[in-house]
Amino acid sequence: MLAWCALLAALLLAAQPARADEAFITSQPAETLSVVDLATRKVVATLPISGKPAGIAVSVDGARAFVTSPDGKALTILDAASRSVTHRVDLGGGPLGVAVHPSGSPAYVADWYQHRIKAVDAATGTVSGEVAVGQSPSGLAVTPDGALLISADRDSDAVSLIDTKTLTRLASIPVGARPFGVTIDAAGARAYTANVASNDVSIIDLKARKVVASVKVGARPYAVALAKGLAFVTDQYDSTVTVFDTDTLEKRATISVGDYPEGIAASRDGAFVYVACWEANTLEIIDTATLKVVETIPVADGPRAFGAFIRRTGE
């Protein structure tokens, strides 16, 4: 009897669906953070975040979310599961891009006006260090091993490479004109910058510390997502996503999406790419197999979702 009960309990447990990953979408004019359940494809929570929130980074383990507010000059740290604010950190300047060390702490915040990156302890909200970079740092990304932080220094037309242990700037690499979003591949070998003014993507070999290729895309590219051997680039002025093969660099598709696409991220399995469309007030879902939009989800006014906005909720 006990064995049968144990078997029944195990079967019931196995039948329970795993919690789906979530998208944390910052909406700047609305001053909110929308949480989208990616299984039901519905907004399940809307949280007020003051100061015109723009940047977002969710820790690899899904425990915390970090939101920058450029107008509020602050970083908001949230417990992602409970949707509660644990710290509101006054940083001054113009905090924009944000990334998190794979260990979960610190968070790195790009100060657009003071041309510096600040490290913030996730548990306490204290600033633990900072480093000077190029002009107007925007997007940030950390290599999967946590050793290297990359800053897209927009008005320097370059990226900075930063040693995360010592918080020292190792190199500045010239890229296209006005780099904004930056994304690192899963191997930690290459970085991709969306260059707003030159309408292209620079591909950087991180070991060699140089640009190895440049790919033309649509007008005013904002950010890049990687999935299934493809790069997906949001073209703000064209309201499209340009897709190219990361090996051959050949263009695969131009996908029409909502007006003014900005933030973009891939699902963990690479099956979908999620696009925040600023003027359409939508989160759009692209199937990476068919390269077509398969769902449009209404969100709050002016979604930017600038950064790593997908939260993992299970294995």
Side-chain angles (χ1 to χ4, degrees), residues 57-66 77-78 99-108 120-124 142 144 146:
V58 180
S59 59
V60 172
D61 63 4
R64 291 186 175 96
F66 303 81
I77 304 176
L78 302 103
V100 189
H101 192 276
S103 66
S105 185
Y108 303 100
V120 180
D121 183 271
T124 65
V142 186

Side-chain angles (χ1 to χ4, degrees), residues 61-89:
D61 63 4
R64 291 186 175 96
F66 303 81
V67 179
T68 60
S69 294
D71 287 16
K73 306 181 187 303
L75 174 72
T76 300
I77 304 176
L78 302 103
D79 180 298
S82 66
R83 329 280 201 221
S84 60
V85 174
T86 58
H87 298 285
R88 176 86 170 179
V89 185

Side-chain angles (χ1 to χ4, degrees), residues 18-101:
R19 288 187 62 197
D21 287 355
E22 298 171 332
F24 277 44
I25 307 299
T26 53
S27 287
Q28 198 164 22
E31 298 195 307
T32 62
L33 178 72
S34 298
V35 181
V36 179
D37 182 294
L38 295 177
T40 63
R41 298 178 176 177
K42 296 183 181 300
V43 175
V44 293
T46 303
L47 314 177
I49 305 285
S50 63
K52 307 295 183 185
I56 175 73
V58 180
S59 59
V60 172
D61 63 4
R64 291 186 175 96
F66 303 81
V67 179
T68 60
S69 294
D71 287 16
K73 306 181 187 303
L75 174 72
T76 300
I77 304 176
L78 302 103
D79 180 298
S82 66
R83 329 280 201 221
S84 60
V85 174
T86 58
H87 298 285
R88 176 86 170 179
V89 185
D90 183 7
L91 293 175
L96 180 58
V98 59
V100 189
H101 192 276

